[in-house]
Structures are given as structure tokens and as C-alpha cells.
Amino acid sequence: MRFCLMVTGPAYGTQQASSAWLFANALLEQGHVLDSVFFYREGVLNASLLNAPASDEFDLTRSWQSLQQKQGVTLNICVAAALRRGITDRQEAESLGLPVANLADGFQLSGLGALAEAALTCDRLVQF
């Protein structure tokens, strides 16, 4: 079965994103296909290169990156939600005159069209 996930919770402070990450790994272990993860609202904070949890805490941003690298899961970030929350890639930072970019590698800015496409092509869309 083909799955897509939508994550609306931040990397830290709620259970949503970590539950989504556990669910994603369980899906893959059971042989399902995870096409993409769409990060929306506060969920875009999962993609900040500047997330720096304590050494004894789970690093959710790096774990999402590892999932993308090992499984080829597309990690889409809603561009409008990201820019409102201070998450940007190099291209957007330059076009907006911002001094730095902080989108972690493996994540990509996209629009709601990516979410719509995911919803049309997967069997199940699960929101966290």
C-alpha cells in the first residue's frame, strides 16, 4: 500500500512529529511504500538546520534526513508556512534579502500542489 504523511506538529514540544516518524518507519518495515511526507503549519519546524537537541535527546531533524537518504522519501515543506516561521532555503533567502538560509538538506520547499498530488497518488494520507 502506498502512504503519504502530513505532519503539522513541530519537531519538539508535541508528540505529532515523533509519532509520524515512528509510523513512517513501521510502514517501511512492513513493506509498504512511503512516497512523501508533507510538513505543514508548525510541522515545518522539523526542517530547521538549526535544531540542536541535547546530546541525550532524539534528533528528529537528522532522523527525517536519514529516512530521506536511505528510503528516498520526499520531504516537502510548505513554503508559505515555512517562510512565516523563519525556515528558508538559499534561493528564497537571496530573493527575500535574508542574511541566511536554514533549510536542512533533504527537505525541499514546495506548495500545496505537492500535497494535492500526494493525496491523488497514494492509497492513504495520514495526518499527524
Side-chain angles (χ1 to χ4, degrees):
M1 190 171 282
R2 301 179 75 84
F3 282 84
C4 297
L5 304 181
M6 182 166 74
V7 179
T8 59
Y12 300 100
T14 71
Q15 191 67 34
Q16 293 163 293
S18 57
S19 293
W21 188 84
L22 291 170
F23 186 78
N25 283 281
L27 286 176
L28 295 168
E29 286 176 12
Q30 293 180 8
H32 297 289
V33 175
L34 178 58
D35 287 332
S36 65
V37 181
F38 190 84
F39 296 88
Y40 188 56
R41 296 185 180 159
E42 302 300 322
V44 301
L45 297 173
N46 285 271
S48 175
L49 179 65
L50 303 176
N51 284 339
S55 62
D56 62 341
E57 293 179 2
F58 187 71
D59 191 335
L60 197 50
T61 299
R62 305 318 169 253
S63 297
W64 285 119
Q65 290 176 302
S66 177
L67 185 72
Q68 187 272 330
Q69 291 169 352
K70 291 179 181 171
Q71 301 292 334
V73 177
T74 303
L75 303 177
N76 289 309
I77 303 295
C78 175
V79 64
L83 291 175
R84 286 187 189 107
R85 290 163 178 85
I87 308 294
T88 185
D89 64 3
R90 192 164 297 166
Q91 181 180 359
E92 286 292 329
E94 288 176 9
S95 71
L96 296 170
L98 300 173
V100 295
N102 62 343
L103 184 67
D105 289 339
F107 294 88
Q108 62 186 24
L109 295 178
S110 64
L112 290 176
L115 176 61
E117 182 179 330
L120 291 172
T121 58
C122 67
D123 299 312
R124 298 283 187 270
L125 173 63
V126 183
Q127 180 179 349
F128 291 88

